[in-house]
Amino acid sequence: MKIGVSSYSFSQYLSDGRLNIHSVIKKAADMGFDAIEFTDLPKDEGDRGDLARLLKKEAAENNIELSAYVVGGNLLCDDQAAEVERLKGEIDIANILGVKIFRYDVLYRLPQNMNFYSALDKVAPAMHELAEYAQKYGIKTSIENHGHAFQDADRVEKVYYAVNHENFGLLVDIGNFMCADEDPYKSVSRLANLAVHVHLKDFIKQDFYSTESKEHYFRTRGRNYLLGVAVGDGDAKAAQSIDILQSFGYDGYLDIEFEGPKDCIQELEKGLKFIRNIIE
């Protein structure tokens, strides 16, 4: 397995100008990561195809791989056909980047008065179409246990079988299961055989009734509290989940995502060291 990092993990530095979409590549390489994945290429740097070509070149110059391309999406929007075409355009960008994993969001939360199964019936054919489109490039499409609608292991597993395409798989995010109040290692063990990509994220959890300070915490779907920390410092049981993935034969990228209040560079360095000690 190779250890990567999501460009999203550098949000603190990207938002205040200490890094940009180009310098983050060198930073990730200098820190010792094997790969970097990009989240939604910016639209203010000219032609996005040209930008993707440049980023691919810069990654090669810094001897770091590009592991995946990750974008937002909403297949329950008013014009699903237009959204499908937009996502096909993002798959074209993924092809220019040279990545073999493309992850998109389906929707964040269920609309009022719509249940999971009704939503799945509406989005599964479009997801199948996207998997078919990406296959010509040799790019595997995937969704992540991300957002309150498609986050539980049970729901994500049902999505996988509803899409029913050999070119579709799951991006398994260890920490995100906690956002649906699930125990990560149990959820990972359920989905490990369907994983085509992995995110490592960690949180400290406080339950609904905790009286401790909740500064910087956010709420789970079940209204508990989570605080983003370095991988290995929280309650996501990352070491156990990685061991489960290895036992199922997963040999892809392990990309760190960090979303917490502490300095992202320091927390990423801690997480990288923690994972290296596990897999090497």
Side-chain angles (χ1 to χ4, degrees):
M1 291 187 284
K2 296 180 179 181
I3 307 174
V5 62
S6 170
S7 63
Y8 171 77
S9 298
F10 297 92
S11 293
Q12 296 170 359
Y13 281 55
L14 290 168
S15 63
D16 67 15
R18 283 179 284 178
L19 290 174
N20 60 36
I21 191 69
H22 305 282
S23 60
V24 76
I25 296 173
K26 184 177 187 306
K27 184 63 178 178
D30 289 346
M31 292 174 69
F33 285 102
D34 301 313
I36 183 170
E37 70 174 50
F38 284 109
T39 303
D40 282 313
L41 294 189
K43 299 177 174 62
D44 59 355
E45 290 208 17
D47 183 85
R48 294 170 75 245
D50 289 342
L51 175 59
R53 293 181 187 92
L54 178 57
L55 294 174
K56 181 180 179 180
K57 177 175 178 290
E58 291 172 340
E61 290 171 349
N62 284 279
N63 295 311
I64 189 169
E65 299 176 16
L66 299 181
S67 58
Y69 183 43
V70 175
V71 303
N74 180 6
L75 290 174
L76 272 184
C77 62
D78 293 336
D79 191 344
Q80 186 186 79
E83 180 69 343
V84 168
E85 291 307 308
R86 185 188 72 81
L87 289 171
K88 286 179 179 178
E90 296 288 9
I91 292 171
D92 295 338
I93 295 295
N95 182 55
I96 295 172
L97 285 169
V99 301
K100 296 303 178 184
I101 299 294
F102 174 75
R103 189 233 76 176
Y104 61 96
D105 286 328
V106 183
L107 70 157
Y108 183 72
R109 69 174 71 247
L110 292 171
Q112 197 75 13
N113 301 318
M114 179 180 287
N115 65 35
F116 165 76
Y117 295 99
S118 296
L120 182 56
D121 287 344
K122 292 178 182 294
V123 301
M127 298 172 72
H128 187 98
E129 182 179 346
L130 290 169
E132 188 75 23
Y133 180 82
Q135 193 166 33
K136 67 181 180 181
Y137 293 132
I139 296 173
K140 183 85 73 171
T141 62
S142 64
I143 66 160
E144 180 179 352
N145 50 309
H146 178 250
H148 288 182
F150 288 5
Q151 198 156 45
D152 324 55
D154 176 69
R155 288 185 179 185
V156 174
E157 186 178 48
K158 285 181 169 65
V159 173
Y160 174 84
Y161 289 110
V163 174
N164 190 30
H165 197 290
E166 62 183 359
N167 197 47
F168 176 76
L170 300 181
L171 192 165
V172 173
D173 186 305
I174 292 170
N176 276 354
F177 290 116
M178 297 177 68
C179 302
D181 302 285
E182 293 190 327
D183 196 327
Y185 85 91
K186 293 180 181 178
S187 297
V188 171
S189 67
R190 179 167 183 167
L191 300 177
N193 65 315
L194 306 179
V196 297
H197 196 60
V198 171
H199 280 173
L200 300 180
K201 187 187 289 137
D202 212 340
F203 299 111
I204 292 173
K205 178 182 177 181
Q206 291 191 39
D207 69 27
F208 178 84
Y209 297 98
S210 170
T211 58
E212 297 180 29
S213 171
K214 307 299 191 306
E215 185 179 7
H216 300 303
Y217 282 72
F218 67 93
R219 306 297 290 273
T220 70
R221 195 171 67 199
R223 308 306 287 165
N224 293 306
Y225 299 85
L226 297 178
L227 174 70
V229 294
V231 176
D233 281 356
D235 300 314
K237 303 174 183 174
Q240 187 172 3
S241 291
I242 292 170
D243 188 65
I244 292 166
L245 289 160
Q246 289 177 313
S247 74
F248 275 85
Y250 179 79
D251 194 33
Y253 294 100
L254 302 172
D255 284 358
I256 296 178
E257 270 195 327
F258 172 72
E259 49 181 48
K262 293 185 178 180
D263 181 85
C264 61
I265 301 298
Q266 295 177 13
E267 296 299 280
L268 289 171
E269 289 174 340
K270 287 173 64 177
L272 175 59
K273 182 179 180 180
F274 174 81
I275 300 163
R276 287 266 185 239
N277 288 336
I278 292 172
I279 68 173
E280 294 183 351

